[in-house]
Amino acid sequence: MAGTVPPAQPPPGPRLGPLQGPRPWHRRLNPLRRPTDRFQARIGLGLLLAVLVVAPVAGVVVAELAHRHYADAARHQTLTRHETSATLTEDVPRHPEPGSDEAKLARYPAEVRFTTADGRTATTRAEVPPGLSAGSQVRIWVTADGEGSEPPLTREQVRSRSMGCALLAAVGTVLTGAAAHAVTCHVVRRRNLAAWERAWAETAPRWTASG
């Protein structure tokens, strides 16, 4: 209605800038904060700092150990395996897409015949390219016992496997920290619920009696 005086309003409060929110010490002094809340916050901060410190260290240590392991394995394989010529004793299936990049990388198991280091004729199964016919010559890797095998690990394979182990160690550390935090939150939550139930059990009879 024209001429009506609007009711009085309290003066607007000061506008808070982006750095003028509640200070950390204000949150710590909040009377509604329970000891369990402070405990949970400290545990979370401690776990975060621990993960930030332990994850890189774990990755470096595991990478070093894994590199030593795979480097030793590569040296052993180099000493106990050798490449030799072999003859296919059966036809090898053709790849569904001959000439494709996938066909160039594909390998099929087939029986081959070769001569061992001591002059004996032996047969074994080896991974060979597709589409070859019986009697074709192929190069295979065999052990000292005359069994077909993979070629020794290369430097690139040793490096990639070591980095993979390091990544798994770092991720495992992060997941362990996250799991520890989740368990802590669960325990604190159950303790709070138990405390609330005890408080309600003490308060409810007084409310019922006053009613």
Side-chain angles (χ1 to χ4, degrees), residues 88 92 106-112 126-132 138-140:
L88 284 170
V92 183
R107 294 293 182 271
Y108 291 95
E111 186 180 81
V112 297
E127 300 285 336
V128 298
L132 298 178
V138 293
R139 299 290 292 179
I140 65 170

Side-chain angles (χ1 to χ4, degrees), residues 66-150:
H67 188 273
R68 292 180 184 177
H69 168 75
Y70 288 117
D72 290 343
R75 284 191 291 269
H76 177 74
Q77 292 171 358
T78 302
L79 294 175
T80 58
R81 300 178 185 181
H82 67 277
E83 191 178 20
T84 186
S85 295
T87 303
L88 284 170
T89 61
E90 59 183 357
D91 295 335
V92 183
R94 293 185 177 275
H95 192 272
E97 300 178 3
S100 64
D101 293 337
E102 183 181 353
K104 295 177 182 178
L105 299 176
R107 294 293 182 271
Y108 291 95
E111 186 180 81
V112 297
R113 182 176 61 252
F114 66 99
T115 303
T116 63
D118 57 3
R120 294 182 298 104
T121 299
T123 58
T124 186
R125 297 193 69 80
E127 300 285 336
V128 298
L132 298 178
S133 57
S136 300
Q137 295 292 311
V138 293
R139 299 290 292 179
I140 65 170
W141 283 88
V142 295
T143 65
D145 298 330
E147 297 293 336
S149 67
E150 296 290 332

